[in-house]
Structure formats: structure tokens, C-alpha cells
Amino acid sequence: MMSVRVRTGPTGFQWDAARPLFQTAIVDLGPFRGSWGYAVAPDGRRFLILTRRPQGPSPAVAILNWKPAD
Amino acid sequence: MTMPAPGDRLGSFQIVAAIGSGGMGEVYRATDTRLGRDVALRLLPDAFASDPERLSRFEREAKLLASLNHSGIAHLYGFDAVTLEDGTKGHLLVMELVEGEDLAARLKRGAIPVAEAVGIARQIAEALEEAHEKGIVHRDLKPANVKLTPDGKVKVLDFGLAKAWSGDASSAQSSADLSQSPTLAHNGTAAGLILGTAAYMSPEQARGKPADRRADIWSFGVVLFEMLTGRALFGGETVSDVLAGVLAREIDWSPLPAETPPHVRHLLARCLERDPRQRLRDIGDARHELQEAGTSGPADKAGAWARPPRSRRGTALLVAGSGLACAALTFAVMSWRSASAPAASMVFSVPAPPSTRLNHVVISPDGRSLVFAAESASGESHLWLQQLDSRNARKLEGTEGAFEPFWSPDSRFVGFFSEAQPWKLEATTGAVEALTATNDARGGAWRPDGTIVFGGARLNRIQASGGEVGTALAVDGAAGENAIRYPSFLPDWLHTLYYSRNAKDRARAGLWVVSLDTGVRKQLTAAAASSAVYVEPGYLLYRRDRYLVAHPFDARRLELTGDPRPVAEDVWYEAGVTAQTNVSASTGGIVTLRTGGIEVSELAWYDRQGRPLSTEWEAKGFASLSLSPDGRQILTTLLGQGVERHLWLYDIEAATARQITSAGDMITNVFSDDGTRGLLGMHSGSTSGLWITRLGSGTAPEPLPTKGGTAAPFAMDWRGSRVIYASVTPRGDRFERSLYLLDLETGEDGPVVDTPGNELFGVISPDGRRLAYASDETGQWEVYVATSRRRASAGGSPPRAATSRAGTPTARSSSTSHPTGR
């Protein structure tokens, strides 16, 4: 999660460099799905994040001599 | 007896040349002057002709052999007695003259490619089947008795002559009989001939026991093994050595090439059973195993591109989720190569590389390596390479951000995507090279001629050597198609499978095939929830719900046949219509797949330091997230039955969930300012657009007319009476997203940001004066802030510009190239 300090006023819109807030395990929604993967609570102190669950130790298999079920 | 010379006449035959000699006499090329055709003449030796009883027996056998009439069998025309130049009597076998190289000569140059070897073996099996059905056993099948004709045909020579020669009704052929092989020695010695004969002899023949057609099946297995490996199965310096091998030596299967299909291994194991009672009983079964599309032999147009077949019968059903480690996989594969082919399927766990999260795993075509796309704890993705004969995976430097790798057909290179472009990597050296720039890649496939195709808003085409990216297939925008994803070549390398995403007509989504030559495309099934991979002997593997299914497929007619049947369950897939799953197959039929079912996620709270606080609801396959302005409710989408996502409203305090929509496919959603209504981007039937629903009313959402394109609407933000939505508009063969502003009170509706790139994720500032959004106008995703007078861009990366939402300074960015995280 990144943050950027911004300032508005008579001089227009100004911004600082982006800086990381914290590491997330946000779900990869990709740009073209157009869906938000997070939201900020009204108090600005909490983040609701669509988070990936931890993965098991063996998330894939190899199959030798496969056959469709009868 | 004086041997005839070129120009001599033997009865009606004029000698052209001597073409070989063997234990059963000299052989000549000759012209039959009566019929005007070239023939092969075998002049039987004196000792034979001086034994009237033996001669009579031979003549009877020859008449039987002459009844064989098959294109794969050299024809025996007749048996004649002639007077030689010196006045003595001679006896001739008149045979079909077969032009071409014999298989023994071909094998001196090394192994034969698998597809070609399978094609030759199939033709040998056809010939044997024809003879066996007539009760004729060859008894001396070996490479020297197999001719490869210039037009790609195979002819088996000297059928039954061993029995005819020996005259033994039981046809036992002891080692003492080895010199009696009718096979010719063109340049070799008699000792060499004997050795060559013994090496293909069945164990029962070697023991001097009666031999039946199962002896031919053994010899067939020995010949097939030699074709695949380029080395004799039973070698030795003496006949005794060779026979000892035939009788007792454990067969070493390891020389078989990795791409040897499992069913061919299985067939070999059945042919090479020493106990004839346990051996394959019918050569027709072998022919059936080998008779597959695309493997019709050396003359096949597909040539070296053809993939070898697999058994139609296969072996057993799978159950994914074994707890074994990768070491077990290594052991299993190596054992599988070095022992008899397994009768049952085996499933082995493939763990992710150490301290990583696995995103993708793909097996190489030669079945020797796995490439992983895996993320480290810091979220950075790399490729990892693991040889199956090694316990350790190797991280491949220079592959930061890599996803969805794919192999070159020769297993030397890996293609992958990163930072909005395809790359290639040489597996042995690790050399990495960027190919081109693109902004929407989903799945790639690599052809032997170096053509790479990859999916996205169209099917792209580029050469592995570089150059400009072109269009292999544009989306059919008029029909609602809005993405072409996960291409995978068929065995002819001319057609590719792909998944078609269709925003308007779900019946036209699903699995398609297209000819890269003609562009002619065809839908195979709308029931596929992913693209497919082709696996011999004629199956497409694709996902349906949580199952990997095998659907019989005629690759020549490009038609699904029969019904799909499950191969494995608990297949991993994403929630939604991305068509992303992860299934791969080696040429030899090893299948890998990512498991775990639908990608499950949590609605998790974190504080500003990233510490986890709590979770809402239970973990599910959530596909979007929107929080009400008062922070008490969550709008999210969940996959329903089939492929459509439905909207759910979750009350945080009450911990209750209510389904809001039950029809249509929900894409995006946002709350109104007061939290009483939802703005939805949704596909419903043939309509795609924005909809408004009054939350909790129980009434159906109402469509919201808009001016922007409606290929895939994205509801982005709703502040007061103003709505920001992303419009998707086809431009040429691509789709472009731009931002529109709709005022619900005045009805004003028009683009606010529209560049040659894509704009998404528009949000209105709390004071309503600014709009922040993401754009890839410059070729990479960046965050912009616009006002009514000008537009500011952070440029570069980082820093990226920021925006404000709900009165709280936040940033929408990610550690990778995409604004929402890849």
C-alpha cells in the first residue's frame, strides 16, 4: 500500500514522492477488471483489503499416465 | 552351382544385379521378361535343392505365403525351378522388388524421431496383423526385414520364410538355426548376421521352443525400442551374450526419449514380456494403440512437428492433492522412465520454490523441467526452473514481475510476460530478452517456426527473434467478443485453441479454435471455463467448474467428439470470467495443474502499519470490494453457479449477508454518498451497462442509460449527483477504456478523459474539483489528477500522483506495474 502526500491551494495541486505504507497480499484483480481491491475506513485509520489466503505447501500436482473417469 | 552374373538369364528372368546374400541363398535384382517387371529373385542353395522332401515342403509353404496380399508385405510371386548356366537345376523364389532403404541401414544413422518411429511401427503392425489373421507368423522380424520406401511406405520382407526354410511345424528356431535366417547380409559377415538375428528373437525361440505369433509381437517390441532409442535392446559380442540378454537381462528403459508417449511405453512393456502368456496377445491391439491422427509416418506432412499419440484407454482416474514432496515427483518420474510403464496413473505434489507463493507452473514439452512463476514474501514475482531429476529449483534472474510462462516446443526457451511485454529466456544460460511492448497479455504459445502468439484484447503474433507485434486474430467486437486469451497450439501447429470472452453473448464465450493461416474460427464449446491444451491421443483438457475434464477431440476435423469426463477435481481458478486456470502437458502426456479450487480471499482489516486486525465474513472467492461511506456495509461480488458473478451486501455489525442480484454478471459496484443505493457495472443478457439498485429494497436493479460505449462498463465513483464510469470502446482491433462523467440530475453525459491509452479507476475529490485516475497513456500505468483547467501527472514510477477519497489521504498504487496490483 502506497501513499502520496498532496497539497491543494492557490498554487495548485502539488504532491510529494510516493512512499510505502505497508506490505499487502492484495488479490490481483488486474487493471482491466476495473474493480477496487481495497477501501479505506471513514476514520482513515483502517484499510479493508481483499487479501489472498496463505497458500498450502503443495499448490500444484503432476499427473503421470492420466485417464478420464469412466 | 555357378552363380549367375548380370545379363544371365534364369528361365524367363534376366539378372540385373546381385543385391544381397544370406543364409537362405543369394538374391538378385532381375527382370521378368514375360511380364516386363522388375523382381527380386532368391536363388536357393545347392544343399536345399538336393533334398526333395525339404524342397516339397518349402514349395507348399511358399504357396501359402503367396496368398498374402497386403500393401505392407512384400509379395511372394512364385517358386520356380530353372536351369543354370552350368546345366544344373536351381530353385528360385520370385518376390516383389521393394525399392528403398531397409530399417537396419536407417538405424545406423541413429534413433528415429518419436512420431516417425510410431508411424513406421504402426505400418509394421498392420502388416503383421494381416499375416497373423491368415495364420502366418513371420518368425524373423528385424530391422533388416523392414523396407522404407521412397514414398514413405513400409514393407515387411521375407514373411514366413524362416518356417518354410526350416520346415519345422512347430517353427522352433534354436540358436543352432540362426544361420538359417532368410535375412540378407549386404556387407556383413555370417557371424554378424547370426548376431543380428538373435537380437530380435523371442525368449521362447531362443530356448528352442515352439513359436507362435506372440514371437512376432516380441520382435516387434524390440524393433520399436531400437527405432526410438537408436540402440539395440539386446547387444553383445557373442551369440551367447545376446541370447543371455534376450532370456534374462532386465530391460533398461532409460534410453527411451522423454517424449515417448506413456501408452507407447506401456505397449513396449506389454510386447516385451518374456512369458508369452503375459505378452500382448494380438498385434492388432498394438496397431490400434499406434493408429492416431498426425502420426501417419515418415511421409506425413506434419513431419517433425507431429506429436506422438497416447493410448485411448489410458489408465486410471486421478485424485489431486497428494502430500508427497517434489523429491517424490523426481523419484517417480525417473522410476517411471527406468521401469515398466505404469498401469495406473500417479499424482505427485509439486511444491512451490522455497519461501514463495506459486502463481503458475508449466511442464516443458520434453517432460524434463518445470518452470514456475512464484512470488517472494515481498510480493516480487520471478521465474524459477526445476529439472525433474533435481531437488532444487533455480531462481531465474532478470525475470522480475514474470507471469504466465510458456515453453518453446524444443524446451530450450521459456516465454513469459512482465511489465507489459513478452520476453524470452534461454533455459540453460538464463539469457533474457524483451520481445515487444504490449499492454494486455494473457497467455502465450510458441510454434516450432518461432512464431509466438499471445492473448489479450486480440490474438497477437510475434517472432521469437523479435520484430513488430502483429494481429493474428482480431476480436469479433460486433458479436460482443472482448478478449482472446490463453492460446494453445494443436498438433498441426496451424490451429490454436483459445478462450473467447464475450461481454454480450455468453453463448458465444468459451473455447474456440482458429486457423492462423486462414483466420477461420470455430467455437468448440461454451461450457469451457478456460482455454484448453491438446493431449494425445486426442483429448482437450479444460476446466469445467472445479474439474479438469478430458474431452475427446478430432484434431483433423476440429470437432469435439463424445462427452467430457473428469480427470481431476479441485482445479485452481480465479473467481470471474478471466478464464485463467493453470494446466499444462508435456508432449509425452505428463500433465501439471495448479490445485486448490476457486481462488479464495479474505475481507481483511489492517491498520496504517499493515498489522492485521480482523476479517469480515468467511473466506470466499470475492471478486470486488466496495465499502459504504459510513463504513458499516460492504458490497462485493461472488461467483454463482456457472460463470456469472452476483452482488452481495454484507452488514458488518450484524455479520449478515444478503444477495442483491441473481441474474447477470456483476463487474463493479460503488455506493452512493448516502449508502442507500449501489451503482453497478453489469452484463445482463445481451446488454452491458450501468444499473442502479436501491439496496435493501428487494427490487431489481434498473438500467441507467449512458452515452459511453457499453462493451464492459465499469462503475468507478459516485459523488452527489455525479457518476464516473469507464467506457469500453472498440477501436480497430483493440478496446480502449476512457472515463465518462454522468450527471444524474441534468442527464449530461460525456467523456472527461479520453486518450489513445486506457483510463480507469476514476475517483472524484472530496471537494468535487478534481478527478484522479489511472492511465497507461505513456505505456505504463500511472496515476493522474485532473482539474477542469489542466491535468497533472506524477510521471515516472515512482513517484505516482495521489488522490483523496472519503476525506482520507490515501494512495492507489502498487509495487508492480498495475495500479491495483497485478
Side-chain angles (χ1 to χ4, degrees), chain A residues 2 28 38 55 60 63 65, chain B residues 315 350 357-358 591 811-812 822:
Chain A
M2 306 288 287
D28 171 14
Y38 70 95
Q55 199 173 53
I63 306 166
N65 217 11
Chain B
T315 45
V350 179
R357 179 187 181 88
L358 187 147
V591 171
R812 293 196 185 277
R822 254 223 58 79

Side-chain angles (χ1 to χ4, degrees), chain B residues 377-506:
Chain B
S378 63
E380 192 170 65
S381 178
H382 280 85
L383 294 186
W384 295 68
L385 184 67
Q386 177 156 10
Q387 306 294 329
L388 287 184
D389 57 1
S390 167
R391 291 173 181 271
N392 302 315
R394 175 166 58 98
K395 184 179 178 180
L396 300 172
E397 299 299 335
T399 62
E400 291 80 4
F403 64 98
E404 294 177 357
F406 54 98
W407 286 91
S408 64
D410 59 7
S411 303
R412 289 181 55 213
F413 293 90
V414 175
F416 64 96
F417 303 97
S418 177
E419 293 293 340
Q421 63 187 135
W423 300 68
K424 72 173 181 181
L425 175 145
E426 188 169 4
T428 52
T429 65
V432 174
E433 182 181 340
L435 293 179
T436 188
T438 181
N439 65 1
D440 183 21
R442 283 290 183 176
W446 192 318
R447 203 163 68 171
D449 68 352
T451 299
I452 291 173
V453 293
F454 60 94
R458 61 179 178 174
L459 185 64
N460 302 277
R461 179 204 295 256
I462 191 172
Q463 287 300 306
S465 55
E468 294 295 317
V469 64
T471 300
L473 179 67
V475 294
D476 185 357
E481 186 177 47
N482 63 5
I484 295 172
R485 292 182 162 175
Y486 304 108
S488 175
F489 281 108
L490 286 177
D492 63 5
W493 300 105
L494 302 175
H495 293 86
T496 181
L497 305 163
Y498 65 94
Y499 183 86
S500 170
R501 204 177 64 174
N502 197 300
K504 289 186 175 179
D505 187 355
R506 280 309 173 95

Side-chain angles (χ1 to χ4, degrees), chain B residues 370-669:
Chain B
L370 296 171
V371 63
F372 302 93
E375 285 179 39
S376 65
S378 63
E380 192 170 65
S381 178
H382 280 85
L383 294 186
W384 295 68
L385 184 67
Q386 177 156 10
Q387 306 294 329
L388 287 184
D389 57 1
S390 167
R391 291 173 181 271
N392 302 315
R394 175 166 58 98
K395 184 179 178 180
L396 300 172
E397 299 299 335
T399 62
E400 291 80 4
F403 64 98
E404 294 177 357
F406 54 98
W407 286 91
S408 64
D410 59 7
S411 303
R412 289 181 55 213
F413 293 90
V414 175
F416 64 96
F417 303 97
S418 177
E419 293 293 340
Q421 63 187 135
W423 300 68
K424 72 173 181 181
L425 175 145
E426 188 169 4
T428 52
T429 65
V432 174
E433 182 181 340
L435 293 179
T436 188
T438 181
N439 65 1
D440 183 21
R442 283 290 183 176
W446 192 318
R447 203 163 68 171
D449 68 352
T451 299
I452 291 173
V453 293
F454 60 94
R458 61 179 178 174
L459 185 64
N460 302 277
R461 179 204 295 256
I462 191 172
Q463 287 300 306
S465 55
E468 294 295 317
V469 64
T471 300
L473 179 67
V475 294
D476 185 357
E481 186 177 47
N482 63 5
I484 295 172
R485 292 182 162 175
Y486 304 108
S488 175
F489 281 108
L490 286 177
D492 63 5
W493 300 105
L494 302 175
H495 293 86
T496 181
L497 305 163
Y498 65 94
Y499 183 86
S500 170
R501 204 177 64 174
N502 197 300
K504 289 186 175 179
D505 187 355
R506 280 309 173 95
R508 291 181 61 83
L511 183 61
W512 288 63
V513 62
V514 63
S515 164
L516 293 188
D517 279 356
T518 65
V520 175
R521 67 181 91 185
K522 174 182 181 180
Q523 187 182 30
L524 297 176
T525 176
S530 73
S531 186
V533 294
Y534 178 86
V535 184
E536 297 287 2
Y539 286 101
L540 297 185
L541 299 180
Y542 61 84
R543 183 180 71 79
R544 287 184 73 163
D545 193 23
R546 59 197 293 268
Y547 293 94
L548 178 70
V549 299
H551 204 147
F553 179 68
D554 186 329
R556 287 183 172 171
R557 297 167 58 197
L558 304 177
E559 289 181 358
L560 291 167
T561 59
D563 298 319
R565 291 182 176 175
V567 172
E569 58 183 332
D570 199 31
V571 176
W572 172 83
Y573 62 100
E574 286 191 322
V577 290
T578 65
Q580 188 177 23
T581 189
N582 180 197
V583 176
S584 70
S586 72
T587 306
I590 302 173
V591 171
T592 64
L593 66 148
R594 186 175 162 188
T595 57
I598 190 170
E599 180 76 54
V600 170
S601 54
E602 294 177 329
L603 298 168
W605 287 104
Y606 294 83
D607 66 15
R608 293 187 63 148
Q609 284 69 48
R611 291 181 291 239
L613 301 173
S614 61
T615 60
E616 305 292 351
W617 210 350
E618 60 191 75
K620 292 180 179 294
F622 301 114
S624 71
L625 163 61
S626 181
L627 185 65
S628 65
D630 63 7
R632 294 182 175 182
Q633 294 180 304
I634 299 168
L635 279 175
T636 186
T637 49
L638 287 171
L639 197 64
Q641 297 296 320
V643 296
E644 292 187 332
R645 295 160 292 186
H646 299 145
L647 184 67
W648 289 72
L649 179 66
Y650 183 77
D651 187 299
I652 293 174
E653 287 188 5
T656 57
R658 178 191 304 172
Q659 186 170 351
I660 304 299
T661 64
S662 57
D665 182 37
M666 184 65 50
I667 305 171
T668 57
N669 49 81

Side-chain angles (χ1 to χ4, degrees), chain A residues 32, chain B residues 439-440 727-729 734-739 753 755-760 773-777 781-782 784:
Chain A
F32 293 131
Chain B
N439 65 1
D440 183 21
S727 162
V728 182
T729 305
R734 304 179 70 89
F735 286 93
E736 290 184 1
R737 291 86 173 164
S738 52
L739 293 176
V753 184
T755 76
N758 294 288
E759 283 75 41
L760 283 168
Y773 61 93
S775 173
D776 68 352
E777 178 185 359
W781 285 99
E782 296 175 301
Y784 294 79

Side-chain angles (χ1 to χ4, degrees), chain B residues 248-318:
Chain B
R249 190 180 305 144
E250 184 178 354
I251 295 174
D252 176 10
W253 301 100
S254 62
L256 287 172
E259 62 269 29
T260 306
H263 81 292
V264 173
R265 295 171 185 268
H266 186 64
L267 173 63
L268 280 169
R270 295 195 66 202
C271 291
L272 295 173
E273 282 283 354
R274 286 193 168 84
D275 182 350
R277 294 170 301 177
Q278 304 299 322
R279 195 177 302 152
L280 183 74
R281 302 188 70 82
D282 192 334
I283 193 66
D285 290 343
R287 188 262 309 153
H288 179 74
E289 296 279 353
L290 300 168
Q291 193 168 25
E292 286 300 328
T295 57
S296 56
D300 194 314
K301 180 184 174 186
W305 287 7
R307 297 180 186 178
R310 288 189 70 242
S311 168
R312 285 193 185 281
R313 290 198 288 268
T315 45
L317 175 65
L318 321 169

Side-chain angles (χ1 to χ4, degrees), chain A residues 1-6 8-9 11-13 15-19 21-23 25-55 57-70, chain B residues 310 315-318 342 345-348 350-351 357-358 375 378 439-440 442 535 539 565-566 574 578 589 591-595 600-608 610 622 625 629 634 667-668 714 716 737 760-761 793-794 799-800 802 808 810-812 820-822:
Chain A
M1 183 65 66
M2 306 288 287
S3 71
V4 176
R5 174 178 289 278
V6 300
T8 59
T11 58
F13 184 83
W15 65 96
D16 293 342
R19 65 182 181 87
L21 275 183
F22 56 86
Q23 185 71 41
I26 191 168
V27 170
D28 171 14
L29 293 175
F32 293 131
R33 288 183 229 181
S35 297
W36 300 109
Y38 70 95
V40 184
D43 63 8
R45 298 187 177 280
R46 294 180 302 144
F47 298 82
L48 183 63
I49 300 176
L50 208 52
T51 305
R52 293 178 308 191
R53 297 191 82 191
Q55 199 173 53
S58 297
V61 296
I63 306 166
L64 311 184
N65 217 11
W66 62 273
K67 176 199 170 188
D70 292 327
Chain B
R310 288 189 70 242
T315 45
L317 175 65
L318 321 169
S345 62
M346 293 181 283
V347 183
F348 297 94
V350 179
R357 179 187 181 88
L358 187 147
E375 285 179 39
S378 63
N439 65 1
D440 183 21
R442 283 290 183 176
V535 184
Y539 286 101
R565 291 182 176 175
E574 286 191 322
T578 65
V591 171
T592 64
L593 66 148
R594 186 175 162 188
T595 57
V600 170
S601 54
E602 294 177 329
L603 298 168
W605 287 104
Y606 294 83
D607 66 15
R608 293 187 63 148
F622 301 114
L625 163 61
I634 299 168
I667 305 171
T668 57
F714 297 138
M716 295 282 98
R737 291 86 173 164
L760 283 168
F761 299 102
S793 168
R800 289 175 176 165
T808 304
T810 65
R812 293 196 185 277
T820 59
R822 254 223 58 79

